[in-house]
Amino acid sequence: MIIDVSNLVKRYNDFLAIDHMSLQIKDGEIFGLLGPNGAGKTTLTKTLLGLCKYDSGSIKLFGSELIESEKKIKERIGLVPQDIAIYDELTAIENVQLFGKLYGLSGSQLKAGVKEALEFTGLYKLKDKSPSQFSGGMKRRLNIACAIVHKPDLLIMDEPTVGIDPQSRNYILESVNKLNKQGCTIIYISHYMEEVAAICSQIAIVDKGRIIAQGTKEELAKLIEGDQVLLITVQSVDFSTIEKLEKVPMVKDITLNHNQIRIISSDSVINQVMNLLISNDVQINKIVTNSPSLEDVFLTLTGRALREESN
Amino acid sequence: MAVFANNLKRFLKHKFSLIFMIAFPIIFIAIQFSSSSNPIKPDAAFIDYDQTPFTHSLKKALQNKVNFIDVNKKSIQNKLISGDIIYAIVINKGMTESLIKNQDGHILTYHTQESNLSSGIKTFLKSYMDNAQVIAKSTEGDKSAFYQGIEKYQQSHSLLSLEKISTKGLNNSVNSIGFVIYGLFLIMNITSKLIIEDKEKGLFTRFLTTPMTLKNYNFQNILSYFLLGNIQVILLIIILRYSFHADLGPSLLNIYLVLIVFSVVSISIGTLISSFCKSSKQANSLSLLISTPVAMLGGCFWPIEIMPRFLQKIGDFLPTTWGISAVRKLIYGNDFNHVILDVSILLAFAIVFFLLSSWRRQDIAQ
Ligand SMILES: Nc1ncnc2c1ncn2[C@@H]1O[C@H](COP(=O)(O)OP(=O)(O)OP(=O)(O)O)[C@@H](O)[C@H]1O
Ligand SMILES: [Mg+2]
């Protein structure tokens, strides 16, 4: 077990950011942590790395507590922070070198590690440029290069693809797979369901500081097996109608996004829903039925969308 | 030493701050040296129990070079040791009388360190008294003839040896010190900015996820600022001494030691600023906002003596005052023992500021 968290509690003053969380991550996994804004994902990584104190519970990394051998443990971990943390005053290669040195590399080992990290993230040609001239995606990639220069056994990636184009995103996802094949265990934090579904061998869904579901993609999908998704586009609808819809038997979850009503139910509810909408004078433009996706798993479990649709 | 080496690289990227730290004092020093300022007069004591026209005229002659302050005889030694006065002259009752009658008059002088000025005064006093004795001999006890002789002597060539004592180099260097101290103060600008930048950009937190400890990070940071401070101090001393030919007293090493301690105080204020500010912009303006008035009140730009009494009192609580006071004493020729009090106060400032900033940082981390 590379990570063994049990009953972890972390408060910010009165706010419960991590609520009795237990989590095991096995060697060689790509472990996806999925959750909406404010779920406590970043807080979890901070407590894992000893950046902030926790109130109770225990954390074991590589079989021992952080304080037992902090230096040795930290040498084996790489963190890709959610907010890009690199020096604009330094060139790309100088940034990677700096972190290589901080992780204890020197001489030919450092040189090789730096080259590899830059090549791995596709930045080798740009190594002498300052990150201030980089695009957002290139900065993200440099942010990753700084975390893998020392070839960590565990790489924690906190939303490494936020705000970058699909091409760069695919590049990063492929890299994550490649790193994993080289023997690196990865914790991949995201609120993009597609990403997590594409690369993760284990997925945990986090909400309000708790893990509310965990398993492989397939196992999670089973949670709502047989459920149906109904997407109805309407002219306009008021909340009293939505409230009435919620009371329809077998409806598990309703979300309203602009003029689209999304209904997840454990059995077909088309007839009841139609009748109700018509009797409330709602003008219906379009109806689609779907089998549920991972995204819908999330919706049913948390009652919330993973991210604001405008994102 | 990755953070240390990295900081050195980053210093070079803050060219504006660096230029400010070196060029600013030099420009003011150059202006200082090119304009002929009012001569600076170090303080001295003249204790006259005799109170005769002869002693009065002696005092008047000396007042061209030194400023006599009220000192009682008992505290002469303390004042000399603390560097408050550079010279003390004591004239006993009946000295003039015995000079005129018996051609035997001498005055007591006290000074600690040999400086341009004190040895000049010594030479002057010796020849003045020698001549007075010659005049007394030739006038054979005739008081009015004696005074006529003295007056004639004074008119002819007596004050020559006093005029020859050059205090221009001394003036200039004493006045320049304020600008040097102000320049050293400006290091707080770059230190506070760099520390904040690390926090602002999440690099500080990221560093702590690596095997490097917080202590090590702080140590390497301070060490890099200390090196920068050293470069600044040495550069300024070299420029002052060898391009401006300033009179920096008998020991450049002592000057260096005092200035480097002051530089550490500036660094400690920089870290304190960084622990209070949220952005590097804020730190930048706060450091400029602090350094300029503190420099003014501490006497960096004009002598502290010309300020109102209550402002001078405020000055006692500012490191600039103590820095300037220490360097001044050294320039006047005092040795390091005389500035130990000032240096200790400076070190106390540094310790308090470092403690405050680390206490404040822990507070934030909670
Ligand atoms: N330093 C702090 N002080 C007080 N509350 C905090 C602090 N840091 C985070 N929180 C709160 O803890 C909760 C969890 O935050 P966290 O950053 O872990 O969320 P997250 O899952 O990483 O979200 P996102 O997807 O937006 O990155 C949030 O409600 C946040 O407001
Ligand atoms: Mg986060």
Side-chain angles (χ1 to χ4, degrees), chain A residues 156-172:
Chain A
I156 302 174
M157 307 178 89
D158 196 349
E159 306 195 24
T161 59
V162 170
I164 63 174
D165 62 79
Q167 215 176 337
S168 284
R169 176 183 299 188
N170 284 340
Y171 190 94
I172 289 175

Side-chain angles (χ1 to χ4, degrees), chain A residues 41-42 82 158-159 189:
Chain A
K41 306 179 298 289
T42 302
Q82 180 170 4
D158 196 349
E159 306 195 24
I189 297 173

Side-chain angles (χ1 to χ4, degrees), chain A residues 49 51 53 71 74-75 79-81 84-90 94 98-99 101-103 143 146-147, chain B residues 2-3 5-7 9-10 13-14 194 197-198 201-203 205-212 217 366:
Chain A
L49 290 164
L51 291 178
K53 295 191 181 112
K71 192 162 179 284
K74 283 184 169 175
E75 267 169 5
L79 170 73
V80 182
I84 298 172
I86 48 177
Y87 282 113
D88 281 339
E89 298 117 300
L90 305 182
E94 282 171 336
L98 171 64
F99 281 95
K101 285 180 202 156
L102 289 177
Y103 279 108
N143 201 30
C146 291
Chain B
V3 168
N6 186 40
N7 272 1
K9 268 187 219 157
R10 291 168 70 204
K13 304 285 160 92
H14 284 80
L194 290 198
E197 226 174 65
D198 274 6
K201 292 187 174 169
L203 281 149
T205 330
R206 189 168 190 176
F207 287 153
L208 295 185
T209 68
T210 73
M212 182 176 56
Y217 170 80
Q366 294 286 310

Side-chain angles (χ1 to χ4, degrees), chain B residues 140-186:
Chain B
E140 293 171 340
D142 180 344
K143 216 174 190 172
S144 63
F146 172 77
Y147 276 112
Q148 267 174 15
I150 289 290
E151 202 177 325
K152 218 184 252 165
Y153 164 72
Q154 278 190 346
Q155 276 165 2
S156 55
H157 55 286
S158 71
L159 299 180
L160 224 60
S161 72
L162 200 54
E163 289 304 319
K164 267 193 298 199
I165 308 170
S166 163
T167 53
K168 183 150 173 54
L170 192 66
N171 285 343
N172 281 334
S173 38
V174 167
N175 288 332
S176 310
I177 282 311
F179 301 119
V180 172
I181 291 280
Y182 180 56
L184 298 186
F185 225 33
L186 293 177

Side-chain angles (χ1 to χ4, degrees), chain A residues 12-13 15 17 35-44 46 82 158-159 189 191:
Chain A
Y12 290 116
N13 301 321
F15 180 77
N37 289 125
K41 306 179 298 289
T42 302
T43 305
L44 176 66
K46 281 188 181 161
Q82 180 170 4
D158 196 349
E159 306 195 24
I189 297 173
H191 33 176

